[in-house]
Amino acid sequence: MANILITGGNGQLGQCLASFQALYPEHDYTITDVDDLNICNGDEIIEFTKEGKFDYLINCAAYTAVDKAEHEQVAAKKINADAVKNIGVAAKLNNFKVIHISTDYVFDGRAFKPYSEDAVTIPESFYGQSKLLGEKFLLEEQPDSMVIRTAWLYSEFGNNFVKTMLKLGQEREELKIVADQIGSPTYAKDLAEVVLEVITKIEKDSFPFEPGIYHYSNEGVCSWYDFTINIHELAGIDCNISPIESKEYPTAAPRPHYSVLGKNKIKENYKINIPYWRTSLEKCLKVLVAKQ
Ligand SMILES: NC(=O)c1ccc[n+]([C@@H]2O[C@H](COP(=O)([O-])OP(=O)(O)OC[C@H]3O[C@@H](n4cnc5c(N)ncnc54)[C@H](OP(=O)(O)O)[C@@H]3O)[C@@H](O)[C@H]2O)c1
């Protein structure tokens, strides 16, 4: 039904998307990572997408090392901003739609209620700044694109907080975890499925492609401390966890204290049902614990 190109396919979200091919067999998928298609090379993207005649490009490629980005600013900007501009240029030229993934770190975290899709963006880390620039570049080059901001991604693939806490919980008797940063943990498989659900709804002509900024995370909120307690409880790990403040766990890049995303636009435009974070965590942990 749709010819879909995925960039950054070896990453966490890319692998989640790949795992849904059988569930959405009506589409054709071309899954690439940096060795097949380097998004930093504008000519390569134009050539690749000209030949492939794609309907959609889902961009999962990114520089995601949040702390390292503070001192590797050139590399982070190149991948998170300049390369996204390349994608926008190619999209306009070769006539495909882009669904680009961005982050809650575009916000400063000083809010007390969920950030709406049009809330003022004030990124505090360089990673957040580079991702925000990528959003702007894409929408300037090809306004007929979708940006989906997400948060606190985890899954059975790649490196993520859930896998780290499972490992540390088994190795250590005690852990100290930050309790004053609040967000919404998001199962990357839920996000991957929503992206494919949106494309499928558009292709079936029941819904229009409505460009612009969207937010997607799982429902509900918690702190990293609450999240860890739940990870260990669901995995049957006995570890003593103490809550600490962010200032007791300094990081190179500042983290938003409150980065809850309001998701009204995606829910209303595409009639999406979003699972509660603990329900999805339970699903992911079943897979992870079975693998151990
Ligand atoms: N992880 C989170 O908690 C989180 C939260 C909010 C938003 N997001 C956003 O969600 C998206 C997906 O995140 P993720 O966790 O799946 O990231 P990830 O696991 O780090 O995957 C990113 C992928 O992009 C590839 N890549 C890097 N440079 C590339 C290039 N020049 N050309 C093509 N591919 C390239 C990476 O390859 P290498 O590994 O070889 O570099 C990697 O396979 C990103 O846009 C991220 O900013 C993530």
Side-chain angles (χ1 to χ4, degrees):
M1 194 184 255
N3 191 10
I4 301 173
L5 170 62
I6 295 167
T7 50
N10 289 348
Q12 179 175 208
L13 182 61
Q15 290 186 67
C16 290
L17 278 160
S19 76
F20 279 110
Q21 288 176 92
L23 215 71
Y24 291 87
E26 60 269 54
H27 306 305
D28 289 324
Y29 301 88
T30 302
I31 301 171
T32 62
D33 204 84
V34 64
D35 293 339
D36 326 287
L37 177 57
N38 182 348
I39 62 163
C40 292
N41 186 332
D43 291 341
E44 202 179 315
I45 304 178
I46 291 174
E47 204 49 42
F48 197 98
T49 52
K50 189 175 164 193
E51 277 176 22
K53 298 194 169 30
F54 299 102
D55 301 303
Y56 297 88
L57 183 156
I58 307 171
N59 183 33
C60 305
Y63 180 107
T64 55
V66 175
D67 290 314
K68 252 169 91 180
E70 293 297 313
H71 54 264
E72 286 190 357
Q73 300 194 349
V74 173
K77 180 176 175 283
K78 198 170 161 195
I79 300 169
N80 289 345
D82 302 336
V84 184
K85 185 178 198 152
N86 295 338
I87 291 175
V89 170
K92 198 152 198 185
L93 207 65
N94 292 334
N95 199 28
F96 56 87
K97 307 270 191 228
V98 180
I99 300 181
H100 171 65
I101 308 301
S102 192
T103 174
D104 56 333
Y105 284 17
V106 298
F107 297 116
D108 65 8
R110 291 189 172 85
F112 295 96
K113 61 180 174 71
Y115 286 98
S116 64
E117 294 80 354
D118 58 1
V120 176
T121 47
I122 311 174
E124 299 223 309
S125 60
F126 189 80
Y127 166 76
Q129 287 171 30
S130 66
K131 293 292 292 183
L132 181 61
L133 204 56
E135 295 181 359
K136 284 186 178 155
F137 283 171
L138 174 65
L139 294 171
E140 272 164 24
E141 290 300 332
Q142 176 48 299
D144 204 18
S145 302
M146 273 187 201
V147 171
I148 305 180
R149 294 182 186 138
T150 189
W152 295 29
L153 284 186
Y154 67 89
S155 68
E156 49 270 42
F157 304 109
N159 295 319
N160 56 64
F161 186 81
V162 171
K163 286 168 91 174
T164 304
M165 287 306 127
L166 279 181
K167 185 168 174 289
L168 292 180
Q170 283 158 345
E171 287 171 1
R172 299 193 193 168
E173 285 182 3
E174 276 186 72
L175 285 173
K176 291 179 177 171
I177 306 290
V178 170
D180 60 357
Q181 290 169 23
I182 308 295
S184 305
T186 304
Y187 190 19
K189 271 193 158 171
D190 289 344
L191 171 60
E193 189 165 14
V194 157
V195 172
L196 295 178
E197 188 183 336
V198 166
I199 290 177
T200 307
K201 283 181 168 171
I202 293 166
E203 290 301 306
K204 284 186 175 159
D205 273 335
S206 42
F207 293 80
F209 181 93
E210 293 194 42
I213 307 264
Y214 289 84
H215 288 170
Y216 182 87
S217 68
N218 279 132
E219 292 284 17
V221 303
C222 66
S223 69
W224 293 112
Y225 167 80
D226 303 320
F227 193 23
T228 309
I229 297 268
N230 278 273
I231 294 165
H232 287 181
E233 194 181 298
L234 289 166
I237 293 172
D238 187 15
C239 177
N240 193 1
I241 307 165
S242 323
I244 56 166
E245 290 182 44
S246 300
K247 64 180 181 213
E248 296 172 76
Y249 186 75
T251 50
R255 304 295 200 271
H257 279 283
Y258 179 92
S259 64
V260 179
L261 300 171
K263 304 170 284 286
N264 284 346
K265 195 164 155 190
I266 201 160
K267 287 198 254 189
E268 283 164 16
N269 285 8
Y270 293 105
K271 305 288 171 253
I272 297 295
N273 286 319
I274 305 183
Y276 187 70
W277 67 266
R278 199 176 188 276
T279 312
S280 291
L281 176 63
E282 202 168 350
K283 268 195 199 170
C284 178
L285 281 173
K286 274 195 186 133
V287 179
L288 282 170
V289 170
K291 274 187 183 174
Q292 286 183 336

